[in-house]
Amino acid sequence: MITPPSIGVLIPTLNAEHDLERLLPALLYSTSSRDILIVDSCSSDNTVNVANHYGVRSKVIDKTEFNHGATRELGRKLLNTDIVVMMTQDAYPLNDDTIARLVRPISSGASSISYARQLPRAGADIVESFPRKYNYPASSHIRGIEDISRYGIYTFFCSNSCAAYLNSALDTVGGFPTVLSNEDFFVVASLLKNGHKIAYVADAVVEHSHKYTLIQEFHRYFDTGYVHAQYKWTQNIVGKAESRGFKQFRSLMIEIIKRNPILLSYALMLNITKFVAFKVGYCSLHAPAWWCKRLSGQKTYWESSSCVLRP
């Protein structure tokens, strides 16, 4: 009899008590979610108490030591399961068996990575919901390094809001990099470069979207530009990130014209903000830490031991 792979779920948290009240029951209901760990950045609310109430393990780290890559690397090693599922505190499963569906391509040997479909939260406007429609289609597929001519930079696309990884595969590339942001993109790039596959699982669905201000978007895209400058080798393989961004922007504008033209000026301003922020971040690789800290969305990163100023 073949023993099924062990599955662990990792959730980095910060002031997540209300999110966990919705998220944890959904995860615990799934028989696939056998081991759940939260890595909490010294929350000021009852996050850890809520986790304890549901029988979920917790590991508390100093807020200044949180890092998108290093914290997930810590968590996956603590879990030490065959498959590790990465979640965020505000991604809510919409299927009773979301995790079981998510890990199926990995369990069957079809891929080493899989990620779920994301749908926008209730009440999201066109600008907030469109990226979910554009990046998360209704049909599942599997991608490999040989598909770059078809998918371009989307070949390496993944979201750790709900994604699963074969732990032994992560070991072969050194695990998640210690990086400011986009740790999912860069680890997938490394895995696919080494012959692994990624599966998009459209029938594993979570609700997850955000309404960011223009300032928040600037900070986010500054960080994205910065890390893409650090990992230029990915662009050498799949091309520049801006190419897909322009296609998405064009599609968004067409959608807005059809459905709600009053949002055109805001959408234009938003996308200009993203583009400028990405370019500034990309050109800031050799800038002093104080400059990066001022423009980044991750203020504590620039003073922490996780800070890597050079690739």
Side-chain angles (χ1 to χ4, degrees):
M1 182 177 178
I2 299 176
T3 304
S6 57
I7 300 168
V9 180
L10 173 65
I11 313 167
T13 57
L14 176 63
N15 296 333
E17 62 173 312
H18 299 298
D19 290 319
L20 293 185
E21 288 285 7
R22 179 179 176 186
L23 173 59
L24 292 181
L27 288 176
L28 291 167
Y29 186 81
S30 170
T31 56
S32 296
S33 306
R34 298 184 179 92
D35 194 1
I36 302 174
L37 169 68
I38 72 164
V39 178
D40 185 68
S41 298
C42 285
S43 291
S44 58
D45 66 1
N46 291 314
T47 294
V48 174
N49 290 336
V50 172
N52 292 339
H53 172 74
Y54 285 102
V56 169
R57 286 198 288 154
S58 60
K59 167 72 175 177
V60 178
I61 62 173
D62 192 277
K63 188 182 297 185
T64 61
E65 290 306 307
F66 173 80
N67 173 267
H68 281 286
T71 300
R72 287 178 170 86
E73 185 65 9
L74 169 67
R76 83 168 182 101
K77 289 180 176 177
L78 289 174
L79 282 166
N80 195 31
T81 49
D82 297 322
I83 298 173
V84 59
V85 176
M86 299 292 166
M87 299 282 295
T88 52
Q89 64 192 51
D90 57 352
Y92 310 118
L94 296 182
N95 314 110
D96 291 340
D97 57 349
T98 293
I99 303 303
R101 297 183 187 196
L102 178 68
V103 303
R104 196 170 293 144
I106 300 176
S107 300
S108 68
S111 71
S112 298
I113 321 113
S114 61
Y115 66 102
R117 186 182 188 188
Q118 296 185 27
L119 296 181
R121 62 191 173 121
D125 62 21
I126 300 173
V127 176
E128 179 181 343
S129 62
F130 185 79
R132 299 298 180 259
K133 176 181 178 180
Y134 191 81
N135 292 314
Y136 300 93
S139 300
S140 301
H141 63 264
I142 293 177
R143 305 190 301 269
I145 198 73
E146 68 278 5
D147 296 310
I148 285 174
S149 60
R150 177 180 179 185
Y151 291 108
I153 196 168
Y154 184 73
T155 308
F156 299 155
F157 179 81
C158 184
S159 173
N160 273 345
S161 290
C162 189
Y165 299 83
L166 183 65
N167 244 329
S168 59
L170 286 172
D171 288 337
T172 66
V173 296
F176 289 99
T178 299
V179 68
L180 176 62
S181 68
N182 292 84
E183 79 293 336
D184 37 21
F185 179 90
F186 297 118
V187 82
V188 168
S190 295
L191 287 164
L192 267 60
K193 184 181 176 184
N194 282 273
H196 295 274
K197 304 282 188 181
I198 181 170
Y200 167 59
V201 188
D203 63 351
V205 188
V206 295
E207 176 188 295
H208 180 247
S209 68
H210 296 279
K211 180 70 171 180
Y212 293 114
T213 66
L214 291 177
I215 293 175
Q216 288 173 324
E217 291 286 19
F218 184 94
H219 290 323
R220 292 179 66 241
Y221 276 82
F222 173 89
D223 291 345
T224 300
Y226 185 91
V227 294
H228 275 274
Q230 279 188 302
Y231 290 82
K232 286 183 180 178
W233 65 266
T234 60
Q235 294 191 60
N236 294 336
I237 296 174
V238 296
K240 293 184 177 180
E242 296 97 312
S243 58
R244 181 172 174 84
F246 283 129
K247 292 178 182 177
Q248 182 171 330
F249 169 68
R250 185 172 63 247
S251 298
L252 171 61
M253 298 304 278
I254 293 172
E255 185 86 358
I256 289 176
I257 290 171
K258 290 179 180 177
R259 295 176 53 191
N260 194 355
I262 198 171
L263 290 175
L264 274 174
S265 58
Y266 173 75
L268 181 60
M269 187 184 309
L270 175 64
N271 281 273
I272 290 173
T273 298
K274 290 179 179 180
F275 177 76
V276 171
F278 183 93
K279 285 296 188 182
V280 173
Y282 193 87
C283 295
S284 295
L285 183 59
H286 300 288
W290 66 263
W291 166 267
C292 296
K293 179 181 178 180
R294 191 175 188 89
L295 299 180
S296 171
Q298 309 279 331
K299 305 301 184 186
T300 58
Y301 170 84
W302 304 98
E303 298 174 352
S304 72
S305 60
S306 296
C307 181
V308 180
L309 290 177
R310 299 293 177 263

